[in-house]
Amino acid sequence: MERCEKDECNPELMRSIDKVIRWDNPFAAAYTMMGELEQQVKVEGNRLNLIRPNQRTLRDESYLGLADHVNALAIIAGMRAGVSLILPSSFFGSPRAMKQNFQDTMSVVRDFIARIFDIKKKELLQDLKKNGIFGRVVVDIYVIEFQKRGHPHTHLLLIITEQDKIRDSESIDLIVSAELPEKTVDPKLHEIVNSIIIHGPCGALIVFAQRDTTSNLVIQRLKTSYV
């Protein structure tokens, strides 16, 4: 569509008309999309034409062992292996690009998790050392570890004063407690916790539980009585 002069037509009106012609008409919209797709295919073809003769700069010799293995499998199968082409990470959609994008995304996630963990760790140490929720702390030491998937956790050791040390079960119950979800309120969660999270039976009961591996009912009854 020809551009109109500033004094001859309304630009907003012409843009509206152009939108109706290009997108509200399904045939015109399809033609426009095909033109854009054709341009993208041309760009990708030119990039491949640049990559193909420059394989040495991508250090393709490091893949010779893999190429020999593929050729050997092709010979055994009575086939002819094609010519390998190493795509760099700068080529959008290549395996290297996808892996690099994934690692970049995960690095952002890991950084976010580490920052949140550091905030929570500082709040925990504030409650333990300054606020003294367990008593006055004289010695503390902790180590931060990262699991295989990058999730941090800490091992913390506290030594409190002799007067504030926990010495009986009643004091422990005031600090450490565990409750099962209410069966009437959330039966599904109650079933999951009771069947997966609870450990037991222990001691003498575990011998009987291992011996009777076919009766889930008996083992479940032992777990319930153990809890």
Side-chain angles (χ1 to χ4, degrees):
M1 181 176 294
E2 297 181 359
R3 294 184 179 179
C4 56
E5 297 297 334
K6 183 175 181 181
D7 298 335
E8 295 179 359
C9 62
N10 187 346
E12 292 294 335
L13 177 61
M14 297 305 298
R15 279 194 291 267
S16 300
I17 296 175
D18 183 70
K19 176 180 178 299
V20 171
I21 294 176
R22 288 179 178 270
W23 300 109
D24 293 354
N25 187 337
F27 297 102
Y31 180 78
T32 303
M33 294 179 64
M34 290 177 61
E36 294 176 354
L37 179 61
E38 182 180 359
Q39 295 298 323
Q40 182 63 31
V41 170
K42 290 181 180 179
V43 172
E44 189 168 289
N46 290 332
R47 296 182 64 190
L48 288 174
N49 291 334
L50 177 64
I51 293 172
R52 188 177 290 108
N54 292 280
Q55 289 290 287
R56 290 297 179 184
T57 60
L58 300 176
R59 297 182 298 179
D60 63 338
E61 65 276 1
S62 60
Y63 295 90
L64 292 179
L66 179 60
D68 293 340
H69 176 69
V70 173
N71 291 329
L73 293 179
I75 293 174
I76 295 174
M79 302 172 61
R80 182 179 178 181
V83 179
S84 62
L85 181 65
I86 306 301
L87 298 177
S89 60
S90 59
F91 187 84
F92 182 78
S94 66
R96 285 184 173 183
M98 300 297 288
K99 291 180 180 178
Q100 179 174 311
N101 292 338
F102 172 76
Q103 294 296 336
D104 292 342
T105 304
M106 291 306 299
S107 65
V108 175
V109 174
R110 295 188 186 101
D111 182 69
F112 179 76
I113 293 176
R115 290 174 182 269
I116 297 298
F117 172 79
D118 186 65
I119 294 174
K120 291 182 175 292
K121 181 207 69 177
K122 291 179 179 178
E123 291 182 353
L124 176 63
L125 294 178
Q126 176 83 3
D127 290 336
L128 294 176
K129 298 172 61 177
K130 187 174 181 179
N131 299 335
I133 59 175
F134 292 154
R136 291 167 294 176
V137 177
V138 293
V139 177
D140 69 280
I141 183 173
Y142 63 88
V143 176
I144 299 176
E145 298 178 354
F146 288 82
Q147 298 175 351
K148 292 182 178 180
R149 295 183 180 271
H151 294 169
H153 65 281
T154 181
H155 298 269
L156 173 64
L157 173 64
L158 297 176
I159 299 179
I160 59 179
T161 60
E162 191 72 22
Q163 296 80 5
D164 296 332
K165 286 186 177 180
I166 304 171
R167 303 182 183 277
D168 50 48
S169 58
E170 290 77 10
S171 301
I172 295 177
D173 291 338
L174 294 176
I175 301 174
V176 181
S177 64
E179 296 181 359
L180 287 174
E182 290 291 341
K183 189 174 183 179
T184 56
V185 176
D186 197 339
K188 185 65 176 179
L189 181 59
H190 176 85
E191 179 184 356
I192 293 174
V193 173
N194 195 35
S195 60
I196 298 177
I197 299 181
I198 295 179
H199 299 278
C202 302
L205 294 178
I206 196 171
V207 178
F208 179 78
Q210 292 177 348
R211 188 182 306 151
D212 190 359
T213 58
T214 60
S215 178
N216 293 329
L217 181 61
V218 174
I219 295 176
Q220 183 65 28
R221 187 180 302 118
L222 287 173
K223 285 185 178 181
T224 305
S225 60
Y226 172 76
V227 175

